[in-house]
Amino acid sequence: MSPSFDVSRYQDPLTIQRAIHGARTIAIVGLSKNQMRASYFVGFYLHRHGYRVIPVNPRESEVLGEPSFKSLSDVPGRVDIVNVFRAPDALPAIAEEAVAIGASTLWCQFTVINEEGGRIAEAGGLSVVMDRCLKVEHARYIGRMHWLGFNTQRITSVRGGLQ
């Protein structure tokens, strides 16, 4: 990554909203069945909010009730968002696969920043979001963000009773 790389170009709110609202199927590269990992928490959240979550992890056989695939090229059917929980140096190869399968968006979680990966995805016609959490952005734009980062399903801004 070059020192002059400006990751903010991959954090456009309109691009983020279009990806979230236009997606139905999300392949999560690096999704783990370990409930203590961020990838599981994000996958669980997205699944609960109606997205089809497809695990892509050669070390897993099944996560969240879905079979896990070794690579994106093994995933049958359409993938709208490729959500990446991998080291930044893995991103160029993942971007190439995302382009090859015809995904719409390459979404790179917090700290998954790789300029070459972003360029590959863009050149292949994908929207790119980088260094942002899909769960956090979904909660922000769908209106379910609580100060701790989850939905308590309680209205907390209610003032004292009306007289």
Side-chain angles (χ1 to χ4, degrees):
M1 183 169 56
S2 67
S4 64
F5 177 58
D6 181 16
V7 73
S8 68
R9 68 181 294 234
Y10 294 123
Q11 298 172 344
D12 174 60
L14 189 55
T15 300
I16 290 169
Q17 290 175 58
R18 283 183 181 144
I20 290 169
H21 291 294
R24 295 290 167 256
T25 303
I26 301 171
I28 302 182
V29 179
L31 179 57
S32 171
K33 68 180 174 186
N34 180 343
Q35 295 181 13
M36 300 305 291
R37 299 206 116 177
S39 65
Y40 183 89
F41 188 68
V42 169
F44 181 82
Y45 171 90
L46 294 169
H47 180 73
R48 277 194 69 201
H49 284 87
Y51 294 96
R52 178 168 180 230
V53 174
I54 301 171
V56 179
N57 186 336
R59 294 185 184 124
E60 304 289 359
S61 58
E62 181 181 298
V63 184
L64 296 170
E66 292 278 346
S68 184
F69 296 92
K70 292 188 185 314
S71 69
L72 286 170
S73 58
D74 295 330
V75 175
R78 172 128 177 90
V79 172
D80 299 311
I81 296 176
V82 173
N83 188 16
V84 182
F85 280 91
R86 291 285 314 280
D89 60 349
L91 197 54
I94 294 168
E96 288 174 0
E97 270 196 289
V99 169
I101 68 166
S104 300
T105 302
L106 178 68
W107 191 298
C108 308
Q109 288 292 135
F110 289 135
T111 73
V112 182
I113 302 167
N114 184 293
E115 186 174 11
E116 181 186 359
R119 279 198 312 260
I120 290 167
E122 277 185 316
L126 277 69
S127 298
V128 179
V129 177
M130 201 174 286
D131 197 31
R132 288 286 182 253
C133 176
L134 183 51
K135 180 224 170 285
V136 170
E137 297 303 319
H138 180 274
R140 176 193 327 268
Y141 292 112
I142 302 301
R144 298 188 172 155
M145 180 60 84
H146 176 269
W147 71 277
L148 289 175
F150 56 87
N151 182 8
T152 63
Q153 298 193 4
R154 300 179 103 191
I155 298 172
T156 58
S157 61
V158 177
R159 300 183 193 268
L162 297 173
Q163 304 300 331

